[in-house]
Amino acid sequence: MTSDDLLARHRAVLPSWMPLYYSEPIELVSGSGRRVTDAQGRTYLDFFGGVLTSMVGYDIPEIRDAVERQLRTGIVHSSTLYLIRQQVELAEKVARVSGIPDARVFFANSGTEANEAALLFATNHRRSAQILAVRNSYHGRSYATMGVTGNRGWSASALNPLQVAWLHSGERLRGLLARLSESERVDAAVEDLREVLATQTAGDVACLIAEPIQGVGGFVHPPDGLFAAWKKVLDEHGILFVSDEVQTGWGRTGEHFWGYQAHGVTPDLLTFAKGIGNGFALAGVVGRAEVLESVPAISFCTFGGNPVSTAAGNAVLDYLLDHDLQGNAARTGAILADGLRAAVGGLDRVAEVRGKGLMLGVEFVRPGTTEPDPALTVRVLEACKAGGLLVGKGGLYGNVLRMGPPLTLTEDEAREGLAILVDAIRSSAAAEVAA
């Protein structure tokens, strides 16, 4: 069976709107540490981790052993109608590290489901279907989460069960707030929030949902402290704050365990997914008890928090804390960020190197402008693959190279990946100029 055969079968049976990376898509068949191998035997250093999901890397003994122990019991699934020891233990840990007092935890399978649940809790608690969301955001693929997604490329339906009002994002390159200083942008964003509340809502808004760093949006993030400034206004109206930590959680930003902590504020609800399962389907919501209890009928998630996924989640969280992966993200992320800014930050094709910890983006534009250059981004993506490095792309205009390596990345691997990145960016930019 060749990759071409598999690609033909993929195209024959799966929908066309499910994208594949690369002009010649690859099948990953094995992995170890931070490296994966494709069906042709080519090994790559992985700087994308299955979209920031393989958070502690591949074939980690502690996680494999925890899952195998659960499998040996013969119980893969029981439903939440029965007590699940692994689920209770993980909920206790998540509540403890969340920073939210008297927290409760609800488990689901994906970031979409987690955000959908958070919207359910908030709208029930506030008895309102009015939501504040942020431009350039992404929160999932279900109807409600698409409704609060402010990125046209990922809004697969115009149908919306919610009434949504939109706030300005932390965009530094474009838009009304981009020309302001950091402090001025916070003040302007607060003024914008007050105006939106006064003009686009009936007053009784349920919540504001926001990502500390916008994932699909190209790792755009607002000035530190903006969420606290927003929350002062929200508290005047009793509006809840939901922090979408699907990509920013578990120490990935290096400076904090959760993205919201950069703002000096505590959310009412926090959603998580991706990295906590390290590839197993695991997600959830943690938040104030009175908000999570705002469900007037029976509701549960058949597979959410199942014994195998929560066995993995417990092992992942223990490994994360025992090995100080947050600190490692800060150290190795600095090697990448500082190295990229020094080597390519001055190129007229690079508008910005941004992000925190091991959540980094490089935005490409046409020379001397802020006009997005998605074609160059694709060329760099392909050049990285040719050099043995897997990265991602995103941004509102598809012109941002996205990197979210496993948090176990070593300093030597960071330098190895940096060298491939710099060569790919320089060579791709030079080839375009020559053409």
Side-chain angles (χ1 to χ4, degrees):
M1 177 63 66
T2 68
S3 293
D4 287 344
D5 293 331
L6 187 59
L7 178 58
R9 292 168 59 192
H10 179 285
R11 288 173 172 163
V13 75
L14 294 170
S16 60
W17 40 259
M18 288 177 56
L20 288 168
Y21 272 175
Y22 308 120
S23 59
E24 296 180 2
I26 58 176
E27 176 193 6
L28 302 181
V29 297
S30 65
S32 179
R34 275 67 54 195
R35 298 183 193 272
V36 292
T37 302
D38 69 15
Q40 308 307 312
R42 178 87 191 275
T43 296
Y44 305 87
L45 180 59
D46 187 2
F47 268 26
F48 206 39
V51 194
L52 288 76
T53 298
S54 298
M55 183 172 67
V56 298
Y58 298 91
D59 197 26
I60 305 300
E62 291 87 342
I63 300 170
R64 183 181 63 246
D65 292 348
V67 171
E68 288 177 347
R69 280 195 302 273
Q70 183 59 45
L71 290 174
R72 284 195 294 271
T73 69
I75 301 294
V76 174
H77 174 76
S78 66
S79 94
T80 52
L81 295 173
Y82 303 94
L83 289 169
I84 302 173
R85 184 172 299 274
Q86 297 278 10
Q87 183 187 71
V88 173
E89 291 176 353
L90 182 57
E92 290 171 339
K93 294 173 186 176
V94 171
R96 187 169 61 249
V97 300
S98 72
I100 299 174
D102 190 28
R104 298 292 185 273
V105 182
F106 174 77
F107 288 110
N109 301 292
S110 69
T112 289
E113 289 186 22
N115 285 328
E116 186 84 19
L119 292 169
L120 169 68
F121 304 149
T123 53
N124 266 326
H125 185 72
R126 290 280 292 158
R127 306 308 301 163
S128 169
Q130 296 183 95
I131 306 292
L132 297 171
V134 182
R135 300 177 190 186
N136 196 40
S137 59
Y138 175 78
H139 298 289
R141 56 161 299 279
S142 60
Y143 272 131
T145 57
M146 276 191 295
V148 294
T149 287
N151 186 315
R152 185 172 59 189
W154 289 83
S155 298
S157 173
L159 304 178
N160 192 347
L162 303 169
Q163 180 181 330
V164 183
W166 299 97
L167 304 179
H168 286 286
S169 73
E171 175 65 67
R172 288 172 167 81
L173 297 178
R174 304 173 189 88
L176 293 176
L177 306 189
R179 55 183 69 102
L180 304 177
S181 68
E182 295 276 293
S183 61
E184 289 173 330
R185 276 195 293 136
V186 171
D187 292 341
V190 170
E191 184 178 350
D192 173 55
L193 169 59
R194 290 192 182 279
E195 183 176 3
V196 166
L197 286 172
T199 60
Q200 298 183 41
T201 77
D204 56 337
V205 174
C207 69
L208 162 63
I209 184 168
E211 304 159 274
I213 300 178
Q214 294 181 326
V216 166
F219 293 171
V220 168
H221 59 89
D224 290 351
L226 175 59
F227 287 1
W230 271 345
K231 196 168 188 307
K232 287 181 181 178
V233 178
L234 301 180
D235 288 346
E236 294 172 9
H237 300 268
I239 300 168
L240 303 176
F241 172 50
V242 181
S243 187
D244 178 344
E245 302 269 358
V246 168
Q247 295 198 27
T248 52
W250 316 110
R252 177 162 290 280
T253 69
E255 61 184 22
H256 297 101
F257 197 75
W258 302 105
Y260 78 75
Q261 291 169 320
H263 297 270
V265 66
T266 301
D268 299 288
L269 298 169
L270 180 159
T271 61
F272 58 87
K274 290 191 181 292
I276 186 59
N278 204 52
F280 288 87
L282 182 61
V285 186
V286 55
R288 292 196 292 117
E290 63 173 315
V291 181
L292 260 76
E293 295 291 355
S294 301
V295 178
I298 294 172
S299 184
F300 76 126
C301 181
T302 299
F303 296 105
N306 68 74
V308 175
S309 291
T310 49
N314 274 295
V316 168
L317 186 50
D318 290 346
Y319 190 96
L320 179 82
L321 297 172
D322 291 345
H323 293 80
D324 185 25
L325 295 192
Q326 177 185 329
N328 189 63
R331 288 188 296 275
T332 54
I335 291 172
L336 290 169
D338 293 346
L340 284 167
R341 290 187 178 110
V344 301
L347 298 180
D348 62 1
R349 311 308 301 275
V350 175
E352 188 174 34
V353 176
R354 59 174 174 259
K356 297 181 178 184
L358 288 176
M359 191 172 184
L360 298 168
V362 181
E363 177 152 349
F364 297 103
V365 292
R366 302 196 183 280
T369 73
T370 59
E371 182 183 350
D373 194 341
L376 175 57
T377 310
V378 170
R379 282 193 292 275
V380 175
L381 188 82
E382 293 279 1
C384 284
K385 177 197 168 193
L389 181 71
L390 302 185
V391 294
K393 66 183 181 71
L396 182 61
Y397 306 103
N399 67 318
V400 180
L401 205 69
R402 297 170 62 202
M403 289 158 283
L407 304 189
T408 51
L409 186 74
T410 68
E411 294 184 12
D412 284 345
E413 289 167 339
R415 294 186 183 96
E416 176 188 350
L418 174 63
I420 298 171
L421 280 163
V422 169
D423 181 67
I425 293 169
R426 285 178 171 168
S427 63
S428 297
E432 184 176 83
V433 171

